[in-house]
mmCIF file of all heavy atoms in Angstrom:
data_model
loop_
_atom_site.group_PDB
_atom_site.id
_atom_site.type_symbol
_atom_site.label_atom_id
_atom_site.label_comp_id
_atom_site.label_asym_id
_atom_site.label_seq_id
_atom_site.Cartn_x
_atom_site.Cartn_y
_atom_site.Cartn_z
ATOM 1 N N ASP S 91 -1.407 -1.888 18.542
ATOM 2 C CA ASP S 91 -2.053 -0.657 18.987
ATOM 3 C C ASP S 91 -3.266 -0.323 18.104
ATOM 4 O O ASP S 91 -3.280 -0.650 16.913
ATOM 5 C CB ASP S 91 -1.058 0.502 18.929
ATOM 6 C CG ASP S 91 0.206 0.215 19.724
ATOM 7 O OD1 ASP S 91 0.120 -0.538 20.711
ATOM 8 O OD2 ASP S 91 1.276 0.723 19.332
ATOM 9 N N PRO S 92 -4.262 0.350 18.667
ATOM 10 C CA PRO S 92 -5.437 0.747 17.885
ATOM 11 C C PRO S 92 -5.175 2.021 17.078
ATOM 12 O O PRO S 92 -4.094 2.610 17.133
ATOM 13 C CB PRO S 92 -6.495 0.990 18.960
ATOM 14 C CG PRO S 92 -5.697 1.451 20.144
ATOM 15 C CD PRO S 92 -4.397 0.693 20.093
ATOM 16 N N ASN S 93 -6.209 2.427 16.325
ATOM 17 C CA ASN S 93 -6.251 3.750 15.662
ATOM 18 C C ASN S 93 -5.192 3.941 14.595
ATOM 19 O O ASN S 93 -4.391 4.869 14.656
ATOM 20 C CB ASN S 93 -6.131 4.875 16.705
ATOM 21 C CG ASN S 93 -7.156 4.773 17.810
ATOM 22 O OD1 ASN S 93 -6.823 4.528 18.960
ATOM 23 N ND2 ASN S 93 -8.422 4.941 17.474
ATOM 24 N N SER S 94 -5.192 3.087 13.570
ATOM 25 C CA SER S 94 -4.188 3.246 12.510
ATOM 26 C C SER S 94 -4.749 3.127 11.100
ATOM 27 O O SER S 94 -3.989 3.009 10.138
ATOM 28 C CB SER S 94 -3.058 2.220 12.708
ATOM 29 O OG SER S 94 -3.552 0.902 12.750
ATOM 30 N N VAL S 95 -6.087 3.146 10.933
ATOM 31 C CA VAL S 95 -6.673 3.085 9.590
ATOM 32 C C VAL S 95 -6.396 4.388 8.860
ATOM 33 O O VAL S 95 -6.529 5.482 9.421
ATOM 34 C CB VAL S 95 -8.184 2.811 9.659
ATOM 35 C CG1 VAL S 95 -8.824 2.904 8.272
ATOM 36 C CG2 VAL S 95 -8.449 1.444 10.273
ATOM 37 N N THR S 96 -6.014 4.280 7.588
ATOM 38 C CA THR S 96 -5.642 5.457 6.805
ATOM 39 C C THR S 96 -6.815 5.944 5.949
ATOM 40 O O THR S 96 -7.528 5.128 5.356
ATOM 41 C CB THR S 96 -4.455 5.147 5.883
ATOM 42 O OG1 THR S 96 -4.802 4.064 5.001
ATOM 43 C CG2 THR S 96 -3.230 4.743 6.688
ATOM 44 N N PRO S 97 -7.038 7.267 5.879
ATOM 45 C CA PRO S 97 -8.029 7.791 4.944
ATOM 46 C C PRO S 97 -7.580 7.520 3.501
ATOM 47 O O PRO S 97 -6.390 7.455 3.243
ATOM 48 C CB PRO S 97 -8.029 9.305 5.224
ATOM 49 C CG PRO S 97 -7.325 9.474 6.533
ATOM 50 C CD PRO S 97 -6.364 8.327 6.645
ATOM 51 N N PRO S 98 -8.515 7.345 2.572
ATOM 52 C CA PRO S 98 -9.971 7.452 2.683
ATOM 53 C C PRO S 98 -10.671 6.179 3.175
ATOM 54 O O PRO S 98 -11.883 6.088 3.090
ATOM 55 C CB PRO S 98 -10.403 7.768 1.251
ATOM 56 C CG PRO S 98 -9.182 8.076 0.480
ATOM 57 C CD PRO S 98 -8.076 7.342 1.159
ATOM 58 N N GLY S 99 -9.904 5.202 3.665
ATOM 59 C CA GLY S 99 -10.530 4.017 4.221
ATOM 60 C C GLY S 99 -11.348 4.299 5.450
ATOM 61 O O GLY S 99 -12.036 3.414 5.968
ATOM 62 N N THR S 100 -11.310 5.523 5.930
ATOM 63 C CA THR S 100 -12.128 5.966 7.059
ATOM 64 C C THR S 100 -13.542 6.376 6.641
ATOM 65 O O THR S 100 -14.359 6.727 7.497
ATOM 66 C CB THR S 100 -11.455 7.152 7.753
ATOM 67 O OG1 THR S 100 -11.202 8.175 6.772
ATOM 68 C CG2 THR S 100 -10.128 6.741 8.377
ATOM 69 N N ALA S 101 -13.828 6.335 5.342
ATOM 70 C CA ALA S 101 -15.153 6.723 4.848
ATOM 71 C C ALA S 101 -16.215 5.742 5.325
ATOM 72 O O ALA S 101 -15.938 4.575 5.621
ATOM 73 C CB ALA S 101 -15.149 6.804 3.325
ATOM 74 N N LYS S 102 -17.453 6.211 5.361
ATOM 75 C CA LYS S 102 -18.562 5.389 5.827
ATOM 76 C C LYS S 102 -19.085 4.453 4.747
ATOM 77 O O LYS S 102 -19.493 3.323 5.038
ATOM 78 C CB LYS S 102 -19.710 6.284 6.309
ATOM 79 C CG LYS S 102 -19.383 7.131 7.525
ATOM 80 C CD LYS S 102 -20.530 8.069 7.876
ATOM 81 C CE LYS S 102 -20.658 9.198 6.861
ATOM 82 N NZ LYS S 102 -21.661 10.218 7.274
ATOM 83 N N ASN S 103 -19.099 4.908 3.501
ATOM 84 C CA ASN S 103 -19.800 4.192 2.449
ATOM 85 C C ASN S 103 -18.908 3.311 1.585
ATOM 86 O O ASN S 103 -19.406 2.676 0.650
ATOM 87 C CB ASN S 103 -20.543 5.198 1.555
ATOM 88 C CG ASN S 103 -21.600 5.966 2.322
ATOM 89 O OD1 ASN S 103 -22.151 5.468 3.307
ATOM 90 N ND2 ASN S 103 -21.882 7.192 1.906
ATOM 91 N N CYS S 104 -17.612 3.263 1.888
ATOM 92 C CA CYS S 104 -16.738 2.344 1.175
ATOM 93 C C CYS S 104 -16.678 1.019 1.931
ATOM 94 O O CYS S 104 -17.199 0.891 3.041
ATOM 95 C CB CYS S 104 -15.341 2.927 1.009
ATOM 96 S SG CYS S 104 -14.399 3.093 2.547
ATOM 97 N N LEU S 105 -16.052 0.024 1.323
ATOM 98 C CA LEU S 105 -15.759 -1.245 1.983
ATOM 99 C C LEU S 105 -14.272 -1.244 2.307
ATOM 100 O O LEU S 105 -13.429 -1.302 1.424
ATOM 101 C CB LEU S 105 -16.110 -2.415 1.069
ATOM 102 C CG LEU S 105 -15.962 -3.820 1.668
ATOM 103 C CD1 LEU S 105 -16.973 -4.034 2.790
ATOM 104 C CD2 LEU S 105 -16.130 -4.889 0.599
ATOM 105 N N THR S 106 -13.947 -1.142 3.589
ATOM 106 C CA THR S 106 -12.565 -1.029 4.035
ATOM 107 C C THR S 106 -12.036 -2.409 4.402
ATOM 108 O O THR S 106 -12.655 -3.139 5.168
ATOM 109 C CB THR S 106 -12.463 -0.085 5.236
ATOM 110 O OG1 THR S 106 -13.066 1.173 4.890
ATOM 111 C CG2 THR S 106 -11.021 0.147 5.635
ATOM 112 N N VAL S 107 -10.850 -2.751 3.845
ATOM 113 C CA VAL S 107 -10.348 -4.122 3.917
ATOM 114 C C VAL S 107 -9.036 -4.182 4.686
ATOM 115 O O VAL S 107 -8.060 -3.502 4.348
ATOM 116 C CB VAL S 107 -10.137 -4.688 2.495
ATOM 117 C CG1 VAL S 107 -9.643 -6.136 2.569
ATOM 118 C CG2 VAL S 107 -11.434 -4.608 1.686
#
Side-chain angles (χ1 to χ4, degrees):
D91 305 331
N93 306 113
S94 56
V95 174
T96 59
T100 55
K102 295 175 288 187
N103 297 332
C104 68
L105 185 66
T106 306
V107 181

